[in-house]
Amino acid sequence: MTAAGGQPRRIVGWLVFLLPLISYLAFLGSYPLFDVDEGAFSEATREMFERGDFLSTYLDGEHRFDKPILIYWLQALAYLVLGPSEWAFRLPSALAAIGWSYATWQFARERFGAQTALAALLVVSTAIGPFAIGRAATADALLNLWLALALFDAWRHLESGRRAPLLRTYVWISLGVLTKGPIAIIVPVAVTFLYCLSRQQWRTWLRAIGDPVGWALLVVLVVPWYAAALGIHGQKFIDGFILKHNVKRFTGTLEGHAGSLFYYVLAVPLLLLPWTGPLFAACRQIRKDMATGVRHYLWVWAAFVVVFFSLSGTKLPHYALYGATPLFLLIAAHRFDHGRTWAHAIAPTVLFVLFALAPAIFGFLAESEAGNAFYRAQLSRAMDLAGLPYYAVTLGALVLWLVLLTSKTTGTWRKLAVAAVLQIAVLTSTVVPYVGEVLQGPVRDAGLKAHALGESAVRMRFDAPSFSVYAQAPTPSRAPEPGELVITRIDRVPEAGFDTVFAEGGVVLLRRQTP
């Protein structure tokens, strides 16, 4: 009986173990690059090849100091193998998210056992926040990998006193600094300090942060590129990267990304969908967890990130994911400490309903006075693009979930596990490609049109760097010359002096008339 029952369990275990590969690689290139971030990272990588410069990054011919170099180098390697494709630009993030998932699994296996490790792997592979950044051509999944590895190895050092994990921590921090800057130092240093302080182990912390070999590793890995960037760009690098994209990002509001003090209190539950119910259940165990070293450490990690970024002037949802890794582990560890099933069923039910209603919602917004004419024009194609397969998949998933909810033989955790896997299947195969086509299809098609014409273009009050990727040419923002192509929005087309070359949704490709 045990052997017979063990075989299906092993099969399920292997399926869960392979889930990150499906979540982060399936249909990865089936939708256009999203603007602004995916387009900007991808075009900056493409321009490295065009300029023959792999130490500096440019976007549409202008300096780009947003992030350090590592993510661009990794995208460049994928570009060499796969060419200028969505797959290539997103592959480093997908591989980082897969590594992040398995690192979380390994840490949970060492501390909580095999079953909890699989549960943690399930959460990190299906939560909507990691899913979003793990399939995006940006630096965030890569940074989350380095932060997770750094803080996991930091705990291994604190727990055992061994030097090897401490030195690995320095390596992961160094790679994080090459990925996104000082935040890769701030989070591990602050979390370990707060934990050691709470345990009166501050001498251990001082010894750890003063390790000479660790500092040598950090200097060898980090300093060469930063020194090269400073030598090449001088004060522009200081002003752009250090002052604007690091100091100002924390002390002020950058690019309009503001939010209240409670922004991340609301963002974290949304980023962990459909695991919001288990998250709240885990939060009810905080006081009890404080008596356990590793769980105490995990709560300190999560709390520091939420508090730190709540105090930041610039707020973006994915910043909270820097503190999500410990929550994956705590949700898994407390997976049986839940209340009534209906409370946990609310989040996945709402998601499946929204998936099915998305075309109707987009169609309603297109006909309304909400937003501006550009976005209404983009959404005007939504109903036509949602064919029978879209409704079959989304409505089928909703019905399947509602039937599962009525089962009296399936436990709450297993119901949520099925809902999470179903959510990923629907998102990867249907919803994300559909939304990408609605919002970014016209930009991609305009870029391909310009490339087919063999002409470069200029931008007119339109920030869509993915156009440059598809056009395979920089698109500077300046006044067009006679006969030159112009990419702009439908609500910003000049009244006279231009001929329309291409129009789709809210995107228009024009040519300035010659005298």
Side-chain angles (χ1 to χ4, degrees), residues 273-296:
L273 287 169
W275 302 103
T276 306
L279 170 65
F280 292 144
C283 288
R284 291 196 292 269
Q285 307 298 323
I286 292 178
R287 182 175 295 181
K288 185 171 68 175
D289 285 347
M290 289 299 102
T292 305
V294 66
R295 297 189 185 193
H296 184 166

Side-chain angles (χ1 to χ4, degrees), residues 222-233:
V222 171
V223 168
W225 178 79
Y226 277 86
L230 184 61
I232 294 169
H233 304 291

Side-chain angles (χ1 to χ4, degrees), residues 170-190:
Y170 276 90
V171 173
W172 309 137
I173 288 174
S174 300
L175 294 174
V177 174
L178 282 174
T179 299
K180 215 166 182 181
I183 192 63
I185 298 175
I186 293 170
V187 173
V189 168

Side-chain angles (χ1 to χ4, degrees), residues 348-360 362 385-403 419 422-435:
T349 302
V350 170
L351 280 175
F352 287 126
V353 169
L354 287 176
F355 294 161
L357 292 180
F362 289 164
L385 291 172
L388 181 60
Y390 181 91
Y391 294 110
V393 171
T394 55
L395 289 173
L398 176 60
V399 170
L400 183 59
W401 165 241
L402 294 177
V403 170
L422 197 58
Q423 169 185 293
I424 292 302
V426 173
L427 282 170
T428 56
S429 68
T430 305
V431 174
V432 174
Y434 166 72
V435 173

Side-chain angles (χ1 to χ4, degrees), residues 137-330:
T138 63
D140 298 295
L142 189 60
L143 177 62
N144 271 283
L145 170 63
W146 305 137
L147 288 176
L149 291 172
L151 281 156
F152 288 158
D153 272 332
W155 173 256
R156 292 182 180 107
H157 168 72
L158 293 174
E159 183 182 55
S160 66
R162 292 184 296 118
R163 197 181 188 194
L166 175 63
L167 296 181
R168 290 198 302 267
T169 301
Y170 276 90
V171 173
W172 309 137
I173 288 174
S174 300
L175 294 174
V177 174
L178 282 174
T179 299
K180 215 166 182 181
I183 192 63
I185 298 175
I186 293 170
V187 173
V189 168
V191 169
T192 52
F193 170 75
L194 292 171
Y195 173 78
C196 289
L197 187 65
S198 69
R199 295 289 186 171
Q200 298 182 346
Q201 297 175 359
W202 55 271
R203 289 187 179 87
T204 301
W205 182 81
L206 287 175
R207 285 194 297 271
I209 66 163
D211 188 283
V213 176
W215 274 97
L217 287 170
L218 191 143
V219 168
V220 168
L221 290 171
V222 171
V223 168
W225 178 79
Y226 277 86
L230 184 61
I232 294 169
H233 304 291
Q235 190 63 39
K236 289 182 178 179
F237 178 73
I238 296 173
D239 293 341
F241 176 72
I242 297 175
L243 296 181
K244 179 181 178 182
H245 287 287
N246 283 278
V247 175
K248 188 177 179 181
R249 192 172 288 274
F250 184 81
T251 59
T253 300
L254 199 62
E255 298 167 349
H257 298 300
S260 75
L261 192 63
F262 300 102
Y263 181 94
Y264 291 108
V265 175
L266 299 174
V268 170
L270 295 176
L271 290 168
L272 294 187
L273 287 169
W275 302 103
T276 306
L279 170 65
F280 292 144
C283 288
R284 291 196 292 269
Q285 307 298 323
I286 292 178
R287 182 175 295 181
K288 185 171 68 175
D289 285 347
M290 289 299 102
T292 305
V294 66
R295 297 189 185 193
H296 184 166
Y297 178 80
L298 294 173
W299 281 116
V300 169
W301 178 357
F304 169 76
V305 170
V306 171
V307 172
F308 179 79
F309 285 103
S310 294
L311 298 175
S312 172
T314 301
K315 292 181 172 66
L316 287 166
H318 61 261
Y319 291 171
L321 291 175
Y322 305 155
T325 304
L327 297 178
F328 305 147
L329 292 161
L330 290 161

